Amino acid sequence: MIIDFRTLDDGASLDADLCIIGAGAAGISLAHEFIGTSVSVCILESGGMELDGDIQALYEGETAGMPYFDLATCRLRFLGGSTNHWAGWCRPLDETDFEDRPWVSLSGWPIRRADLEAYYQRALPIFEIGPLDFDAHAWEGIEATRPAFDEAKLRSIFWQFSPPPVHFGEKYREDLEAASNIRLVLHASVVDIEMDTGGGEVTAVGVRSLDGRNGRVRAKAFVLACGGIENARILLAANSVEPAGIGNRHGIVGRYFMEHPNVHSGVIVTRDPQPLMENLVLHFRDSVPFQPGFAPSVDVQRELGILNASIRFAYEPDTESGTYAFQELWHGLKDGRPVRGLGEKIWQVLSDIDDVSRNVYRKVVEGKNFTTRPRYMFVACESEQMPNPDSRIMLIPEKDALGMNKVRLDWRLSELDRRTVEVVTRLFAEELGRTDLARFRLEDWLQKDSGWGDDLQGSNHHMGTTRMADDPRHGVVDRDCRVHGVSNLFVAGSSVFPTGGFATPTFTIVALALRLADHLKTRYG
Amino acid sequence: MIDSFGFTRRKLLSWGAVIALLPGAAGVAAGAMRDWAPDDLAAHMRDLLREIFGDRAAAKALGEAYLRRYPIPPDPADVMRDLFEDHFPRDASALARLVSERRVRDFGEGRTIVLDGWILARSEAQLCALTVLL
Ligand SMILES: Cc1cc2nc3c(=O)[nH]c(=O)nc-3n(C[C@H](O)[C@H](O)[C@H](O)COP(=O)(O)OP(=O)(O)OC[C@H]3O[C@@H](n4cnc5c(N)ncnc54)[C@H](O)[C@@H]3O)c2cc1C
């Protein structure tokens, strides 16, 4: 059932076995697991079915430290959450990402990759991807040749793309609506968490809508699933019983904010771009797109004392090439739409006919894809960030339209984060040179001893702010994603990641949500 | 975007011919270095370098960048000895093969050099330096 909170009486009170706060990737996949069970579920979602400027403005905040995206645009606040504009890259974390690595301070999850394996399997159909094949073995399933890189140094990795990116709200709305044990309440922003006097149990959450209506939801258990920034914000703001916020006795909530630093690290030159253009780009396997990349082997990470990181070949097509114009003409004709600058395009094809013929031959005779001549080729590096207590989210005095304190995000990077990018880039350059595929030129910023490139950015992945650890002094939630010291409050989402690897987070977010569902079923089912 | 040589990215691409050096060649002859008189050696090497570098200006630019690391320019005979050990190439294809072997070894063992941002095998940089020294 779907309810609009604004249609309820002011002061309304709802009861459920399980209250899930936030209906994004985590909240929806968790709730979906309870369909048809005896557990009554109430999902509280701040937004409606579509983007609304006033609700989106509730995400406004400040940024400090490394340049970061506008907090009001790097996530979305309506049904489906940020999956309404995500890009669909999927990859599980590596086995080593879970392990305690002595050279990475505060590394090590309380759980292992093996604990998530079955949940990664179960997550595949949710994203419409598969099989669970994300490493060197995946070369065998695609029509491409693995470059002869030394796997002991630089191992092959793959991302799979949810094709097109699954929008969780659109895809699962009907299932949730039809389920008799689920109530999805829209326009219901959680503004407070009420605790018993000892602070050991959540009794209810306070809900508010932008039209000034208030209400509360009581449940046996509560799950915060509002994204990596908002989970911390809500815990910090719930300070009526615990002055520093819930789960924050050790001052960790909001700290250890991690991203995946994303930056160009150099350009590639070669006499023959074809092997790179053919093999290191997107390939399809049973209509699922696979993108190859490379990462330092575990031995290299250990020996050189670096973090995990990915490096990926990319190029900008030469828009003046004949093949580029030919493809535009072809798509225009096929889709029956006019092509801009038709005469110019035809001339472009004719004056570069060798390039076009080569591609047509490859397509018709060899069944290969067109490869547009590159204007330039480069390398994109997306890496792990070291857990850093000074990289954090905190509340600021300014309040949003619902009266909640806004946040400041202070994103900080360390010397190890930079060195990781540098080392991995050099390894890639060395393997390109050794195999004589190409030579490599470092971006200017990597030719200096410190600092980052102007194009450095995050990846819209907000991790670590309610990190998982067995010891409450080092983490906010335990291995079951339960807030330390609170018997019935759980957290879902990448805020629980103690380290973030380089893998895009949503696949792991969903695997963890499925695991949490199993745990809650045994406790409350 | 302009790089530190003042070249555009488009120009960088054309550098591939220089930087990726040479295709490998088989059936080559290499003679012991001590068989050559120093003058012959330098003259012969100059000829070989002319043959193998399509874009001599680019090779020179890299060679100059390499030599800037030395307070006093090294003796070309030392550079050649270091590069070829005891096997001086008799012709361009022998040179190509030797350089290719050294390149694989250098890159594989991390014996690289960064010249104006280019990550090159040390042997490649030495070869470029010879275009300046000889
Ligand atoms: C441009 C972009 C591209 C991305 N591409 C990728 C990618 O390719 N691969 C990848 O893995 N990840 C990607 N991501 C990240 C991905 O979108 C997130 O990891 C994922 O959506 C997080 O899921 P979540 O459920 O934890 O949070 P969200 O999806 O953000 O959902 C949180 C939900 O909580 C609701 N909410 C917030 N506050 C409250 C409140 N107080 N009360 C009630 N409800 C509330 C929100 O409205 C929202 O619906 C991308 C993100 C962006 C912005």
Side-chain angles (χ1 to χ4, degrees), chain A residues 173-253:
Chain A
R173 190 179 90 190
E174 279 178 18
D175 292 356
L176 297 175
E177 190 166 15
S180 57
N181 64 322
I182 310 258
R183 270 172 301 172
L184 168 59
V185 188
L186 300 176
H187 295 283
S189 295
V190 167
V191 290
D192 193 19
I193 301 178
E194 298 171 19
M195 308 283 287
D196 64 357
T197 43
E201 191 178 54
V202 176
T203 49
V205 288
V207 181
R208 196 167 293 155
S209 59
L210 277 177
D211 65 358
R213 217 167 290 256
N214 286 289
R216 33 200 317 261
V217 176
R218 288 180 303 195
K220 290 182 190 154
F222 297 82
V223 180
L224 259 184
C226 294
I229 296 174
E230 226 55 18
N231 283 347
R233 178 186 181 193
I234 293 171
L235 288 176
L236 289 170
N239 56 7
S240 53
V241 174
E242 294 278 352
I246 294 173
N248 199 27
R249 285 189 189 161
H250 298 281
I252 300 174
V253 175

Side-chain angles (χ1 to χ4, degrees), chain B residues 15-99:
Chain B
W15 278 48
V18 181
I19 292 148
L21 288 173
L22 303 158
V28 292
M33 261 179 97
R34 56 184 170 275
D35 294 347
W36 297 74
D39 276 356
D40 297 355
L41 220 164
H44 182 62
M45 190 66 206
R46 239 189 330 263
D47 290 345
L48 292 187
L49 289 172
R50 204 164 296 132
E51 244 180 276
I52 65 162
F53 279 121
D55 184 346
R56 230 175 123 74
K60 260 194 146 145
L62 287 172
E64 274 156 9
Y66 177 65
L67 291 171
R68 275 199 292 274
R69 302 170 152 233
Y70 289 86
I72 311 165
D75 184 337
D78 289 342
V79 177
M80 283 193 278
R81 201 165 301 115
D82 195 32
L83 186 55
F84 304 124
E85 289 158 7
D86 210 16
H87 305 286
F88 187 74
R90 287 190 185 274
D91 55 35
S93 54
L95 175 61
R97 199 185 68 176
L98 270 173
V99 170

Side-chain angles (χ1 to χ4, degrees), chain A residues 21-28 44-47 55 59 73-91 127 161 188-191 225-228 230-231 233-234 402 404 459-462 492-495 503-507 509:
Chain A
I21 304 154
I28 289 178
L44 298 171
E45 167 52 46
S46 173
I55 294 172
Y59 267 161
T73 57
C74 69
R75 48 213 175 122
L76 288 177
R77 196 159 168 145
F78 64 101
L79 183 64
S82 297
T83 68
N84 287 299
H85 66 171
W86 79 311
W89 295 62
C90 294
R91 181 178 162 81
F127 292 94
F161 283 85
S189 295
V190 167
V191 290
C226 294
E230 226 55 18
N231 283 347
R233 178 186 181 193
I234 293 171
L402 295 175
M404 264 186 94
S459 305
N460 295 298
H461 304 157
H462 312 136
S494 46
S495 63
T504 41
T506 312
F507 191 52
I509 289 175

Side-chain angles (χ1 to χ4, degrees), chain A residues 153 267-271 318 320 374-377 426 429-430 433-436 439-444 447, chain B residues 1 3-4 9-10 12-13 16-17 19-23 103-104 107-108 110 112 114 116-119 124:
Chain A
K153 278 188 186 166
V267 293
I268 290 171
V269 293
T270 176
R271 283 165 298 182
D318 184 353
E320 288 163 23
R375 193 166 74 80
Y376 75 96
M377 296 173 288
R426 276 172 181 258
E430 284 168 14
R434 191 181 61 76
T435 51
D436 211 14
R439 292 298 182 278
F440 189 91
R441 187 169 194 268
L442 293 168
E443 286 290 351
D444 292 347
Q447 296 175 43
Chain B
M1 183 194 154
D3 80 322
S4 54
R9 290 229 188 246
R10 181 177 286 281
L12 287 181
L13 280 175
I19 292 148
L21 288 173
L22 303 158
R103 170 183 54 73
V104 170
F107 275 121
T112 54
V114 182
D116 287 303
W118 294 105
I119 299 188
E124 291 175 331

Side-chain angles (χ1 to χ4, degrees), chain A residues 16-79:
Chain A
D17 292 327
L18 177 64
C19 174
I20 299 172
I21 304 154
I28 289 178
S29 43
L30 177 65
H32 202 267
E33 288 293 297
F34 285 90
I35 291 177
T37 67
S38 58
V39 179
S40 64
V41 178
C42 176
I43 316 171
L44 298 171
E45 167 52 46
S46 173
M49 299 284 196
E50 279 163 20
L51 184 68
D52 172 313
D54 292 337
I55 294 172
Q56 191 59 29
L58 298 171
Y59 267 161
E60 281 170 4
E62 288 179 9
T63 55
M66 303 301 291
Y68 202 70
F69 308 109
D70 179 345
L71 295 186
T73 57
C74 69
R75 48 213 175 122
L76 288 177
R77 196 159 168 145
F78 64 101
L79 183 64

